[in-house]
Amino acid sequence: MSSQVRRLASGGRIDRSQPFEFKFDGRSLAGYRGDTLASALLANGVTLTGRSFKYHRPRGIFSAGPEEPNALVTAGMGSRREPNLAATTLELSDGLVAESQNRWPSLAFDLQGVNSLFAPFLTAGFYYKTFMGPTRRAWMFYEHFIRKAAGLGKAGIEPDPDHYEVRHAFADVAVVGAGPAGLSAACAAAKAGARVTLIEQDFLLGGQLLGERPESAAAAWLREIEAELQGLGNVTTMTRTAAFGVYDGNVLGLVERCADQGANGGARQALTILRSRAIVFAAGAIERPLVFPNNDRPGVMLASAARTYLNRFAVLPGRKVVVATTNDGGWRTAFDLAAAGAEVEVADLRAEPAPGLQAEAARLGIAGRTGTQIAGLKGGHAVKAARLTGSGKETEIACDLVCVSGGWSPTVHLTSQLGVKPVYRDAIDGFVPGKLPAGQFGAGSMMGGSATKDAIEQGHRAGIEAASYCGKSVAVPAPAPLDLGETAAAPFRQPSSFGRGKAFVDFQMDVTTADIALAHREGYESVEHLKRYTTLGMGSDQGKTSNFAALSAMGALRNATIPATGTTTFRPPYTPVAIGALAGRAVGHHFKPVRRTPINDWHVANGAEMLEVGLWMRPFYYRASGRDVSEAYVAEMRTVRTTAGLMDISTLGKIDVQGPDAAIFLDRVYANGFAKQPVGRARYGVMLRDDGIVFDDGTTTRLAEHRFFMTTSTAKAADVMSRLEFLLDTVWPDLRVAVTSVTDEWAAMSVAGPRSREILAAAFPDLDVSNDALPHMGLSESEFDGRALRIIRLSYSGERAYEVYVGASAGEAVWRRLVEAGAPFGLKPYGVEALGALRVERGHVAGPEIDGRTTLNDLGLGRMVAKRSGYVGEVLSRRPAFEAPDRQRLVGLECIEEGKRLRGGAILFQPDEKMEGHGRGRVTSITFSPELGRYVGLALLAGGAASEGNEIIAVHPIKAETVRARVVSPVFLDPKGERLLG
Amino acid sequence: MLRIECPCCGPRDHDEFRYGGDASVVRPAHDDPDPEAWYRYVYVRKNPAGPHREFWQHVMGCRQWLVVERDTRNHAISSVVLARRSA
Amino acid sequence: MADTHCYLPIEPCTILQVEAWDKTLPAFEAELSRQLGAKLPAAVGETESLGGWAIIRVAPRRFWLVANEKARLSCSIEPELGSQLWLSEGRLRLRLSGPHTFDILRACVAIDWQAEEAKPGRAVQTSFHHVPVVVMRTAEDACDLLVPRSFAQSLGEWVAEVAAPFVTGQGLIVGAAPHLPAGILSP
Amino acid sequence: MARYSAFTLFRNALSGHKNWPRAWRAAEPKPSYDVVIIGGGGHGLATAFYLAENHGIRNVAVIEKGYIGGGNVGRNTTVIRSNYLLDGNTQFYEFSMKLWEGMTQALNFNVMFSQRGQLVTAHSADQLDVFAHRANIMRLNGIDADILDREDVRRLTPYLDFSETARFPIHGAIFQGRAGTARHDAVAWGYARAADGHGVAIIQNCEVTGFIRDGERIVGVETTKGRIGAGKTGMAVAGHTSVLGSKAGLELPIESHVLQAFVTEPLKPLVDHVVAYGADHFYVSQSDKGGLVFGGNLDGYNSYAQRGNLGVVREVAEAAIALMPSMSRLRILRHWGGVMDMTPDASPIICPTPIEGLYLNGGWCYGGFKATPASGWCFAHTIATGKPHPLVARYGLDRFRAGSMIDEAGAGPFAWLQ
Ligand SMILES: Cc1cc2nc3c(=O)[nH]c(=O)nc-3n(C[C@H](O)[C@H](O)[C@H](O)COP(=O)(O)OP(=O)(O)OC[C@H]3O[C@@H](n4cnc5c(N)ncnc54)[C@H](O)[C@@H]3O)c2cc1C
Ligand SMILES: NC(=O)c1ccc[n+]([C@@H]2O[C@H](COP(=O)([O-])OP(=O)(O)OC[C@H]3O[C@@H](n4cnc5c(N)ncnc54)[C@H](O)[C@@H]3O)[C@@H](O)[C@H]2O)c1
Ligand SMILES: Cc1cc2nc3c(=O)[nH]c(=O)nc-3n(C[C@H](O)[C@H](O)[C@H](O)COP(=O)(O)O)c2cc1C
Ligand SMILES: [Zn+2]
């Protein structure tokens, strides 16, 4: 491909038989399968890839992995657009479209580049010191511009068209990282008999070995062990998969970029929750940059990265290269670049590097300088020359690439996430994992080593230990050896430059040594303050390349040791995780499971407007009843009051309570008595919380001496069930009682209205539903089509009413039967809005009144428990504040103003008083009463019943309404309850 | 993600369970009329930074109430028993 | 690797629950196995089969007798010994079988199918998208999901969507989703 | 104390910022102080500031076991609102809101208080009634509040889920325009700097390990830097209230629970308000740095580990997408947890304790950041006068015995459900 000016003619782990086209900032470029966007850009000679966060300085590709601070791009278009992706980990795909970020109008010419001119003012935390005037709200003005300037990529607002999968997985041993250490760990653990999952974020296995020359021994070793792993039946290898977090119980969060990237119906990404018994961490190490003026220019690159681009991607990242290093590793990069035809100079800070190195350098025609360090750079959009200082003299060397290596920082992120503080190790001048908890092991350069040979041996040992921790200890042969002859010389740190010119520590957050000095000067000297004051390490790379440089700089300023200075806290995720991957399929209508009654489809088919009630779908109202809900619910109420209505109440919680001690049990859990409840009778019951506040209400029917059928409110069903089990398991284990939720067993429907009995009789001709056979609160048990049929005469509406329970599978059949039998009598179905309205007319309390703050007395139910004791919640229900004279208690309200209405949420005041503060109470529930021809409501009012007959003002500032109402009894209709009886 | 080893069902993610709070508080007898005793049971908590006896119910499994001993500093679970057998 | 051997019929499920009191467990077990003429599963999650029935211990003192086809069975427990309750209306059975059974299940429930507790012949009670379900491992690559009736359509659709990639256009699961309600209402 | 202003910033720029003084002195303990405040979080630092500013008590030390602002003030999602329903809460949080509105100037430190407005979505007519009740109470107490219908919400926040597939369709919302966010760290630093300016000693890396008693009275504290005498001692240690309280023999109705928070990578302006989901546990705002900062529900079990579990991470992600589908493609860059002092009614405790010389400030649950200035103001008053400030009279420890809880959610005495 002609455009790939920096691509070598041969070599690399790219597939030249599969050329890809892609676009960067509108330019069409070419690459190959096996490239990352970064390697492809470099191959095409693109070195300027973005603008920095604060100063908008030009930036290029700095690394070859997830530690990349600079080369962040936005990929995809429209609803598939995704900002802030590291070009160094973005796998190239055919037709990929990517853009640089944080520049306008163009990358090469960025207007906000002028920020560099203001740089003197834009120091760390400058915004804390200004933007404070002229007015108190001044910040709201400045913030507008600050927000625009801040941020990196731009996100879309369309819903995500792709989908994601969550998978539950299990393993004996999880191995994080597939470099030499991880590979040999996985191999050993598997051979020892453990079920192994090997996790690698890259799309290739090998880790740093991928940076070795393709024809090297390393490559051969890699081929061998990959084949071996495939041969083992008990190893699952996951590539393109980042272990982003370690959680309690050795649970790993893994996110996989699926190979087909959402093509042909597959998921775009998959979250695997891996529960492992043991974990081997072999996450490797990250190379450190050097801190000197203008060290952020495009063309400055980590030494190991340059080597990776050369050997893995067959890209020559520079033709004239300066390698500035503090360790032997940098020389290896120099050797390979020179061998590939680049002109290379090495500047080693140390007086005498390993002898072999200089010999080899000489052989390859590399000018090697010792005791020399890099002091600065020339060039804006690209490096032009490097300034080296050593043994007194300063030289300037023209170049187009500067490779830097300031040593290595072990990847201690994951092991630290559970609170294991990393510990400083002199031998490597860096942090290694602290003491790992049982079941966690570490190996390779992550533990501080730098030689492949050691990595392999440590991995092997860790694999065996991890397996035996899981009780798997088959003997394992020694691993195939590989020695790359890395020499681990004593560490040597290049002091950060505090001199003239911006020396960057955190490239992504634009934090310089001057910012660190300022933070120190102003007393933000704890590393955590330093971080928060300068935003150091707070970018999407989480400071992978900057943290050590930062704390060594702060250490120097405080003249404190590194361990005394300490690190900031490591948190998940190790690399950013798409929120969609975490949610998997639980999106859209699957956000929460949908709960349907056995009669659901009939409602839908018969024009019900359905409503979400908790997880349930319930009929709100039926369109046939009226144009909108306010018209419909009134019509439906009228039907119930005049003829009869049919309501699906299957959502009620239903609990089967059995056992010789069932009556004693209920007598304790209900505030009102159940001990003497006769068989065949239903009773209304109220439960309290231990703190004496009303918990839930419902009815319980005694089916037999030892058997009760309890119903709860729809909302509290699960809580009540669990509470009953709690009392039986932990408080009264000696009671012989079994409780079982039967909510889904029964379809339930209420037939309510004057004609309800006739309708039942017509529907079930062979049942005796006469008043004597089935009086108010009575029970009739029989069968319908082989399923149990249970009719309980209960009324919520205040009309003669029956609750019909039948085995769920026959629910729709019985419903249809009632609809048919009821038609001649004018029976119509009604929805929850009418249900709620009917109970208000009746003065029944429900959710709005039972709000977790009200007591029995508040709700006018006190008499139920007169002279009872020993029930749950009794003692604390007698606390003084609950008896205060101004306690707000249940009353009824009648709107007495023509053409006006009551509203829920209105606040109550006395006619004469100032309308401010919290008033004397509130309207909890309201309805229009067709029978009374006006709005009525329930309210909680200071003093309660005492003020019956008084006039009161209901104030609704939001609607700018004040309405006069009269305080009345909450029972609006049929106070003696005659309609229920007879 | 805690993993709680249910004595009946084996190790499960904690979101199969319902939390029941401090298991070391003493519940007065159901007919104990002493407000102070009930106040202490309902409200007063040791809330230790360290080992904590607590109730969990395996609602998605065997529905048994369990007593779990767990260190609140690091979430390490040292024992799980059936509440009925814990006394 | 499309595959057609993935079926998701939704069927009714006959269940009888019997439970002992704390103090009567031994006597209860003796009586129950006498009445059934079968030995009882010793531990929670274990099952025994008898005729068309599976006996599952779902809690230390609680057993479920689950019929594979519509079957009746007589057994009566005295209140002094324990309790008994039919649960044949509240749950539906989703039958999963075929080589992709566990590819599908791993997106539904957090169970390790290689663990002792989940071997063939075991019954696992667990959570499926916040809903309590019982998964009966009926064979190496087959499971029955007993799901609460009110959630069956919602969970059935979930399973169907997970299964889609594994099933050819003809595959029953994909077709099943829209018809699930019908399947549920008139089993 | 060197003033901060555009001018001083300019002047210092000319000298390469070499002359900025420390924001607060690095103090080492003296043998004793008139008042010792335990806890260098927002509330402790604010209390010290107001002791000096309002009551002229300057011989004060704030003792912080770690670095100031390292607790919940340094890890919270910074939502500031005064939309409380119940008598006591309503007035207290509105007083706090008024202090927020003048904080930057009062402290001469830009705390970036951004009154961008907060809305909570409603998903049924009933929920709108509940919101109306709250909004009415707010209006009647002189607090701005509005009820929005579905179309208003769409206009304000078009990126929420208004589609057919929404599991819980949006019916409307409650909105408070004066609500917003602030730069949390700046609040701690601003109070520290201003308190230091009044002579308050801010002592970091010094843990209080016990109390010094003289008979029944508490006369000082034992610390990792030695004994420190105190005329009066105030506790403001949030999540650690029980642990420290037990050292003084206090029995408290408090449990410590973890709440998690999350931030995405920095983005150009996307979410201009604070948005909370009324159908589940989720709320989000965008920091000035560009990250979407969001949170959800408690992890739900007692914990002192400042980190959360993956189950809740997933639930929050699900709720995020349910409310704001485009968040699916955004990526979490970091998530963390904080240890919260949960009370049985989710309302705070500010009062003198039964132990002479010891004052208690705690029980802030997940809502104490917005309370920081009022809490400091009222706690300072309570310590200075020995009597609760009228605005916190209802926040006594005795309310649970008496039955006068202030339970906004009505969740009852289950800390983890509050
Ligand atoms: C994730 C999360 C999100 C939140 N979101 C919000 C929100 O949006 N809005 C809102 O209003 N509130 C929110 N909160 C709550 C709010 O952060 C807290 O209520 C508030 O910060 C607590 O007061 P504080 O700042 O004084 O506590 P802290 O900052 O925790 O201060 C207590 C200090 O005491 C120190 N300490 C403890 N023990 C000792 C000892 N023995 N000796 C010395 N020092 C000690 C601690 O180190 C700590 O620094 C949130 C909290 C969390 C965790
Ligand atoms: N030149 C030097 O001085 C020097 C220093 C250190 C290391 N090294 C080289 O590094 C190698 C060390 O071997 P090793 O295996 O310990 O490290 P490695 O870097 O070779 O392998 C680590 C692997 O873990 C993966 N990884 C890291 N975090 C991950 C996560 N969260 N999820 C998934 N994958 C993750 C990385 O992608 C990488 O493939 C040796 O070859 C050694 O020569 C050299
Ligand atoms: C409002 C807010 C915004 C934050 N934004 C970022 C951010 O942009 N980048 C980042 O790395 N962390 C961010 N954090 C998280 C902090 O880095 C840190 O995790 C948190 O304060 C808890 O401290 P700890 O992790 O050291 O325990 C933010 C925290 C808060 C409270
Ligand atoms: Zn269990």
Side-chain angles (χ1 to χ4, degrees), chain A residues 571-593:
Chain A
R571 294 285 187 183
Y574 173 70
T575 48
V577 176
I579 294 167
L582 293 163
R585 288 186 180 274
V587 296
H589 64 101
H590 277 316
F591 168 48
K592 296 273 190 248

Side-chain angles (χ1 to χ4, degrees), chain A residues 531-532 538 542 569 571, chain D residues 74-76 289 334 336:
Chain A
K531 161 185 162 175
R532 288 156 174 79
M538 295 178 83
Q542 289 288 288
T569 308
R571 294 285 187 183
Chain D
R75 60 191 61 244
N76 79 91
K289 190 165 153 292
R334 187 172 174 103
W336 62 96

Side-chain angles (χ1 to χ4, degrees), chain B residues 6 8-9 58 62:
Chain B
C6 172
C8 300
C9 309
H58 195 192
C62 60

Side-chain angles (χ1 to χ4, degrees), chain A residues 607-932:
Chain A
E609 190 66 41
M610 299 301 281
L611 179 72
E612 301 78 15
V613 180
L615 296 182
W616 289 99
M617 297 306 296
R618 301 193 69 181
F620 187 27
Y621 65 91
Y622 294 82
R623 291 188 208 89
S625 313
R627 263 187 280 106
D628 58 9
V629 60
S630 43
E631 195 178 281
Y633 90 85
V634 176
E636 290 174 1
M637 284 173 83
R638 221 179 249 113
T639 324
V640 172
R641 297 267 179 239
T642 54
T643 59
L646 185 60
M647 169 83 201
D648 181 354
I649 53 170
S650 305
T651 61
L652 287 180
K654 311 177 202 71
I655 299 172
D656 178 274
V657 184
Q658 281 190 62
D661 303 320
I664 304 172
F665 177 62
L666 292 176
D667 204 50
R668 291 181 191 172
V669 299
Y670 275 123
N672 51 318
F674 273 77
K676 294 183 219 55
Q677 180 183 20
V679 172
R681 276 282 182 283
R683 180 170 290 179
Y684 175 73
V686 185
M687 294 182 194
L688 306 186
R689 299 190 312 220
D690 288 328
D691 65 352
I693 296 291
V694 173
F695 177 25
D696 192 40
D697 67 345
T699 60
T700 287
T701 307
R702 190 166 201 166
L703 303 172
E705 184 55 26
H706 296 317
R707 183 136 187 235
F708 295 79
F709 177 66
M710 172 189 287
T711 64
T712 74
S713 70
T714 299
K716 296 279 174 56
D719 295 347
V720 171
M721 181 65 200
S722 174
R723 197 67 194 158
L724 297 181
E725 291 166 317
F726 176 84
L727 291 168
L728 287 170
D729 272 4
T730 74
V731 184
W732 307 311
D734 49 328
L735 290 187
R736 293 163 304 166
V737 180
V739 292
T740 310
S741 168
V742 290
T743 300
D744 278 23
E745 286 295 311
W746 299 93
M749 47 212 102
S750 155
V751 191
R755 320 290 305 269
S756 53
R757 183 192 290 130
E758 297 154 84
I759 293 167
L760 274 193
F764 309 107
D766 40 15
L767 284 187
D768 178 356
V769 294
S770 68
N771 194 47
D772 312 335
L774 191 51
H776 182 50
M777 293 289 178
L779 163 74
S780 139
E781 287 194 284
S782 59
E783 282 209 343
F784 175 90
D785 185 15
R787 278 83 153 196
L789 178 71
R790 199 175 273 171
I791 304 180
I792 309 173
R793 186 165 164 191
L794 286 168
S795 178
Y796 197 54
S797 57
E799 301 300 324
R800 174 185 299 137
Y802 303 81
E803 291 184 352
V804 179
Y805 294 84
V806 66
S809 61
E812 187 174 347
V814 167
W815 178 274
R816 288 177 181 281
R817 164 87 62 99
L818 286 163
V819 169
E820 279 156 32
F825 302 90
L827 175 104
K828 291 210 180 66
Y830 63 103
V832 287
E833 190 67 4
L835 179 80
L838 289 160
R839 66 99 191 169
V840 171
E841 273 188 319
R842 181 65 198 149
H844 269 305
V845 292
E849 293 79 29
I850 303 179
D851 64 359
R853 291 186 288 264
T854 44
T855 65
L856 283 170
N857 285 329
D858 297 344
L859 301 178
L861 299 170
R863 61 189 128 57
M864 292 175 60
V865 299
K867 45 192 167 15
R868 278 198 85 235
S869 68
Y871 53 89
V872 170
E874 179 215 345
V875 176
L876 293 188
S877 75
R878 308 197 192 285
R879 281 180 285 179
F882 294 165
E883 298 311 322
D886 65 344
R887 183 85 185 169
Q888 295 184 3
R889 294 193 162 158
L890 186 75
V891 297
L893 293 183
E894 257 180 9
C895 181
I896 54 178
E897 263 186 282
E898 269 319 307
K900 288 199 174 182
R901 57 163 299 178
L902 293 170
R903 284 187 199 276
I907 313 302
L908 302 173
F909 290 91
Q910 286 194 350
D912 42 33
E913 71 192 332
K914 195 146 185 301
M915 291 175 201
E916 62 180 19
H918 289 73
R920 298 175 176 272
R922 75 174 205 270
V923 180
T924 53
S925 316
I926 61 102
T927 177
F928 178 81
S929 167
E931 208 156 311
L932 305 175

Side-chain angles (χ1 to χ4, degrees), chain A residues 84 120 128 137 143 160 247-248 521-522 529 542 569 571-572 577 580 592 853 879 905 918 922, chain D residues 17 23 68 90 114-116 133 136 167 183 288 306-307 328-329 331-332 334-335 400 407-408:
Chain A
N84 305 335
Y128 299 125
R137 284 178 66 87
E143 183 184 44
D160 187 343
Y247 299 89
D248 293 309
R521 193 171 304 123
E522 297 191 90
H529 281 155
Q542 289 288 288
T569 308
R571 294 285 187 183
V577 176
K592 296 273 190 248
R853 291 186 288 264
R879 281 180 285 179
H918 289 73
R922 75 174 205 270
Chain D
H17 298 282
I68 61 165
T90 316
S114 167
Q115 294 181 285
R116 52 185 68 179
H133 174 212
N136 286 336
R167 177 69 175 83
R183 177 76 180 86
D288 287 334
Q306 260 179 357
R307 56 182 160 83
S328 174
R329 282 188 106 78
R331 296 176 308 154
I332 291 175
R334 187 172 174 103
H335 72 83
F400 302 100
D407 188 345
E408 292 265 334

